[in-house]
Amino acid sequence: GQLALERLQNVIRRVADQWRPSSKDESFEIVRRRLFQAPNAEGLTTISAVARSFTNLYRNNTALFPRDAASPNDDYEKRIRASYPLHPELLDRLYEDWSTLERFQRTRGVLKLVSSIVHELWASNDASPLILPGNVPLDATTVNTDLTQYLEDQWKPIIDSDIDGPGSTAQQIDLDRPNLGQRFVTQRIARTIFMGAAPRIKSTRKGLDKQYLWLGTAVPGDTLGNFGSAVELLAQRSTYFYEDQGHYWFDTQPSVTKTANDYAERLREDIETVWNEITRRLQGEERVRGVFDRVHIAPSSSADIPDLEDTRLVIAHPRHARRKQDGADSAAHAWVRDAIESKGASQRIHRNTLIFLLADKSELESLEAATRSYLGWKRVQATSDSLNLSAQQRKQTDDWVSRLDQTVSDRIRDTFVWAVYPEQFDPTKPFELVADRVPDSGGRSLAERVSAKLGREDQLITDFGAPILGATLHHELGALWRDAGEITVGELWGYFTRYTYLPRLVRREVLDSAIEQSLSAVLVDNERFAIASGKDVETGRYRSLLVAPNPNTRIQVTDSTLLIETERAQKQADADRIAAAREATMNAAADGDLAAVGPVDFVGTSSSSAEGDDPSEAESALETVLVRFFGSVKIDSDRYARDIGNVTREVIDRLAGAGARLDITIDIQATKPDGFDESEVRTIGENARVLKFDPSSGFEKS
């Protein structure tokens, strides 16, 4: 028997042709000849254009695609032309991954599968430039059967539920997101992951690398930035999707995502738990308050909002969210109005000190969804031992908890965007509620964003000028100001905090600062007011009366400090000056030194006695009045307009108003070391002549 075997082997070796499996390129050549016609000249032009457009896509985004596809040489472009209309990545997956499966025939299996794919795409009028893994119609019965016959039986329902077909998770995501559904991005990505990872599910090298996922999905015209969103949504909503260090795959065992999603879904019936998590996170907004004295977080009723004098921000509970089109009759606005008008069962006094920040209704839905997902994953993390999670699943859980924690924080900033506050244009009518959308401002807190927005619109006053304070006294509080002629600072501050038609000062120090500035500010007639430390009840005289301008005086503003109508204060100030002059005259006469009184002209007010006796010198001094004023002042050459205006307004106008005859001379001396040019001499000289300067005025040499 052994001798016969050896002789038979010798014969066979002499006549046999050694057989080896066909290569990938040879196998595809067999498939191409069986399924496709040879292209004509026009077809070759189209093939070249398609190949060039794909390679341009890869080269313009080198970080997103494998190195061989994005290489500047034309090797991959040649591969695309040679494999047309199939993409080289689809061939690689079929020959490198699917052909390793038991019973999958390298040539015949690929031929049958590609034939089914081409038929289904042709029947559905698919217009894709190439057939990529992302274009494989897994929901088609023939294609589904040709693929799943080599896999475990569980794959058919997994494809239907998560990957492809009506009602699948991938399709639902595309329907929910128009930017994805317009080009079926999520379904194409899910197909690519299945085609690249399903054959390797039992190997130690699981998953499809991100660059090859992009390669098997992207076509010219895609927005590649949407791919990451599609993958993230798949990870959040798919039952059998797995991700690990940039590798993606579907498995036959439900992922931990399924468990987390189940927990999150049950929270739809427990909205209070979701809201509690949101309000818990809002507590951190109390620390960075912007210009607000305090930040109140999600008060359950108006009774939980203190009635205080300083301006505060109230971040409303999520249940009081509003829509852009909401008006005065909306539930959210009704709650805000009630909180402004009352504190529990009592009336609120300081109504002009509250700003409210409300959630946007549409954004709140996204925030609630993210919060449910976060709580679902947090539950998985807390029960990881009882769930018997693997090390990879624990890491996946920790990653999702961290990722969703940041997502919830970001969405809170996008959700609480409506600043609502009272505004009253007519004091005789009720206040109105105004809602301003607050834009995001980098990493600043909610209170800082509201502070910046309303500060720009003068709804939060941090710097109150003395002229505006004076105008408020004469106009908004004009009736009170004219009737009483005076008001204490404590009473005035109470008006600012109570009445919504007055400016909203963030704190009392803003008002005090405006009063202090008034002593050095330039105020016109309808802005002027005087200041006194108090008033003597018995005599009706003001104590420590100050009439602006008085820049060298410093005052301490208290509740009892008085702001006084200027004319009333001026009468006392004038009387005080006359009394002081008379006292000085009397003291000088008593000392026998009338010269000490200073440069004052005297005119007697009493005639000689009937007996013709001359009055004594002391008697004459006591019976004199001031009849002449003279003075000179040096003007700041850098601010001459301001100083001359002050002199005109505060001195000359008052002298003219008193009926005095004025004699005013302006003395100007100007020196220019480089000398005045001809144009300057001509212009200034002509202007001086027209203004009737003294003929002796003019230029001179040094």
Side-chain angles (χ1 to χ4, degrees):
Q2 182 64 33
L3 180 60
L5 176 62
E6 291 177 355
R7 293 180 64 182
L8 182 61
Q9 287 175 340
N10 288 334
V11 172
I12 291 175
R13 285 171 181 163
R14 285 197 302 271
V15 301
D17 184 14
Q18 297 294 324
W19 178 89
R20 61 177 177 80
S22 59
S23 67
K24 177 173 58 177
D25 293 338
E26 291 171 340
S27 297
F28 172 68
E29 185 63 22
I30 297 172
V31 172
R32 189 178 64 80
R33 290 182 179 180
R34 293 284 299 274
L35 297 179
F36 307 111
Q37 295 178 347
N40 56 21
E42 182 180 355
L44 291 173
T45 302
T46 301
I47 292 172
S48 297
V50 169
R52 177 58 55 89
S53 66
F54 272 84
T55 52
N56 286 341
L57 172 66
Y58 304 148
R59 292 167 184 168
N60 293 335
N61 301 274
T62 54
L64 302 179
F65 296 98
R67 182 179 302 176
D68 58 338
S71 174
N73 60 46
D74 60 353
D75 291 348
Y76 205 79
E77 185 175 344
K78 291 178 180 178
R79 285 197 65 192
I80 295 176
R81 290 199 298 265
S83 63
Y84 186 89
L86 303 180
H87 192 283
E89 177 63 10
L90 177 59
L91 293 177
D92 290 343
R93 299 286 69 82
L94 293 176
Y95 285 112
E96 294 178 9
D97 297 327
W98 286 88
S99 64
T100 62
L101 297 175
E102 186 178 358
R103 297 182 291 111
F104 189 95
Q105 296 176 308
R106 187 179 181 89
T107 301
R108 186 172 298 177
V110 171
L111 177 63
K112 187 174 185 301
L113 177 60
V114 171
S115 176
S116 299
I117 293 172
V118 171
H119 172 76
E120 294 295 340
L121 293 178
W122 177 81
S124 63
N125 295 317
D126 187 275
S128 300
L130 287 176
I131 302 175
L132 294 89
N135 298 114
V136 176
L138 298 176
D139 59 331
T141 302
T142 54
V143 177
N144 188 299
T145 302
D146 286 345
L147 287 170
T148 56
Q149 64 177 317
Y150 306 110
L151 303 173
E152 297 175 350
D153 293 338
Q154 301 98 306
W155 277 105
K156 289 185 178 181
I158 293 174
I159 292 174
D160 293 339
S161 65
D162 268 14
I163 302 173
D164 202 4
S168 66
T169 301
Q171 186 192 63
Q172 193 59 49
I173 292 173
D174 282 339
L175 292 175
D176 293 344
R177 299 295 181 95
N179 61 322
L180 302 178
Q182 187 177 12
R183 298 176 70 90
F184 309 104
V185 172
T186 313
Q187 294 175 76
R188 287 159 51 203
I189 283 179
R191 293 166 183 164
T192 303
I193 293 172
F194 173 82
M195 292 298 297
R200 300 204 300 262
I201 197 65
K202 299 298 184 182
S203 69
T204 57
R205 186 173 63 91
K206 286 186 178 182
L208 183 65
D209 183 81
K210 183 176 182 179
Q211 288 186 328
Y212 286 95
L213 171 57
W214 264 230
L215 181 65
T217 307
V219 298
D222 280 340
T223 302
L224 300 182
N226 289 336
F227 285 21
S229 300
V231 170
E232 183 175 353
L233 289 169
L234 265 179
Q236 292 177 8
R237 297 169 59 173
S238 176
T239 303
Y240 298 94
F241 180 84
Y242 284 79
E243 174 187 358
D244 183 31
Q245 297 181 352
H247 287 72
Y248 311 98
W249 69 96
F250 289 97
D251 207 319
T252 55
Q253 298 298 320
S255 68
V256 70
T257 303
K258 170 65 173 175
T259 306
N261 288 345
D262 288 344
Y263 289 150
E265 194 63 27
R266 287 199 290 270
L267 288 175
R268 288 184 179 274
E269 307 301 324
D270 187 11
I271 190 62
E272 289 294 337
T273 298
V274 177
W275 285 348
N276 289 341
E277 174 63 21
I278 294 173
T279 55
R280 181 190 70 79
R281 290 169 174 269
L282 287 172
Q283 299 297 329
E285 298 294 331
E286 294 178 332
R287 294 191 293 270
V288 185
R289 303 188 297 268
V291 302
F292 295 102
D293 181 64
R294 298 186 188 181
V295 177
H296 304 297
I297 305 298
S300 58
S301 71
S302 62
D304 295 328
I305 306 173
D307 193 7
L308 304 175
E309 294 182 345
D310 290 337
T311 304
R312 287 149 295 135
L313 177 67
V314 180
I315 301 180
H317 193 280
R319 65 167 57 91
H320 302 303
R322 72 179 300 275
R323 299 185 187 277
K324 182 178 181 180
Q325 64 271 21
D326 281 356
D329 57 345
S330 68
H333 282 219
W335 182 84
V336 172
R337 179 173 289 276
D338 177 70
I340 293 173
E341 294 178 342
S342 61
K343 179 183 182 296
S346 61
Q347 292 292 315
R348 185 175 297 278
I349 297 174
H350 305 291
R351 298 185 176 189
N352 201 31
T353 62
L354 294 179
I355 301 292
F356 294 81
L357 186 64
L358 273 59
D360 183 85
K361 191 74 172 178
S362 58
E363 295 290 345
L364 180 62
E365 295 173 0
S366 298
L367 172 60
E368 289 172 349
T371 306
R372 287 195 299 270
S373 296
Y374 169 78
L375 293 174
W377 281 101
K378 195 72 176 174
R379 173 78 178 274
V380 171
Q381 188 182 54
T383 58
S384 57
D385 291 338
S386 60
L387 293 174
N388 196 27
L389 300 185
S390 65
Q392 187 274 329
Q393 289 175 321
R394 290 174 186 266
K395 182 179 182 303
Q396 180 186 8
T397 301
D398 293 341
D399 289 344
W400 271 111
V401 169
S402 176
R403 186 185 308 176
L404 288 170
D405 178 66
Q406 185 61 48
T407 299
V408 173
S409 297
D410 292 341
R411 290 189 181 175
I412 284 177
R413 300 170 57 82
D414 296 335
T415 300
F416 287 85
V417 294
W418 289 111
V420 181
Y421 53 88
E423 194 166 45
Q424 190 174 9
F425 301 101
D426 185 349
T428 64
K429 296 180 179 179
F431 65 80
E432 300 175 0
L433 289 180
V434 178
D436 280 343
R437 190 177 184 91
V438 181
D440 194 0
S441 302
R444 292 197 287 181
S445 69
L446 296 177
E448 288 175 318
R449 291 164 55 186
V450 175
S451 299
K453 168 69 174 178
L454 298 192
R456 289 192 299 269
E457 298 182 357
D458 291 332
Q459 293 298 332
L460 285 175
I461 308 299
T462 59
D463 185 11
F464 200 44
I468 302 177
L469 173 58
T472 302
L473 291 171
H474 285 81
H475 294 95
E476 285 85 349
L477 298 174
L480 173 67
W481 184 246
R482 287 187 294 271
D483 292 343
E486 62 187 48
I487 187 173
T488 65
V489 173
E491 183 182 4
L492 177 60
W493 173 241
Y495 290 149
F496 276 112
T497 63
R498 288 187 182 99
Y499 301 121
T500 54
Y501 60 84
L502 293 177
R504 187 177 295 105
L505 310 185
V506 297
R507 60 183 60 86
R508 167 66 181 272
E509 289 77 11
V510 177
L511 175 60
D512 293 351
S513 176
I515 296 171
E516 294 167 358
Q517 294 171 16
S518 68
L519 294 175
S520 58
V522 178
L523 305 178
V524 297
D525 288 341
N526 61 350
E527 298 172 351
R528 293 177 181 172
F529 59 90
I531 307 171
S533 62
K535 186 176 183 179
D536 191 307
V537 178
E538 295 181 357
T539 64
R541 291 179 56 78
Y542 298 108
R543 295 190 294 269
S544 303
L545 179 64
L546 296 172
V547 180
N550 200 337
N552 297 323
T553 304
R554 295 290 180 269
I555 60 172
Q556 179 67 40
V557 180
T558 65
D559 282 352
S560 60
T561 299
L562 276 171
L563 305 186
I564 309 158
E565 196 273 328
T566 305
E567 290 185 3
R568 177 179 297 199
Q570 192 64 51
K571 290 179 181 178
Q572 177 177 321
D574 291 344
D576 289 346
R577 279 196 294 271
I578 293 173
R582 286 177 175 172
E583 183 179 356
T585 303
M586 292 176 62
N587 292 337
D591 295 339
D593 183 13
L594 287 173
V597 176
V600 179
D601 291 342
F602 299 99
V603 175
T605 59
S606 63
S607 61
S608 300
S609 64
E611 292 79 9
D613 295 335
D614 293 333
S616 67
E617 186 177 353
E619 291 172 342
S620 299
L622 290 172
E623 296 175 353
T624 60
V625 293
L626 308 176
V627 297
R628 178 173 175 266
F629 169 83
F630 61 92
S632 64
V633 61
K634 188 172 182 60
I635 301 297
D636 186 343
S637 60
D638 293 329
R639 299 183 177 181
Y640 57 84
R642 181 200 65 181
D643 288 357
I644 292 175
N646 290 345
V647 171
T648 301
R649 185 168 49 252
E650 304 299 339
V651 179
I652 299 176
D653 286 353
R654 292 185 183 278
L655 291 171
R661 181 177 58 82
L662 300 177
D663 186 7
I664 303 171
T665 302
I666 299 178
D667 180 59
I668 303 174
Q669 297 185 31
T671 303
K672 185 177 180 182
D674 298 337
F676 295 95
D677 60 33
E678 181 180 352
S679 174
E680 292 169 338
V681 171
R682 182 175 62 256
T683 302
I684 297 172
E686 179 65 19
N687 291 343
R689 184 184 64 78
V690 172
L691 294 173
K692 301 187 184 305
F693 273 47
D694 187 274
S696 63
S697 302
F699 295 90
E700 63 181 6
K701 297 180 179 179
S702 59

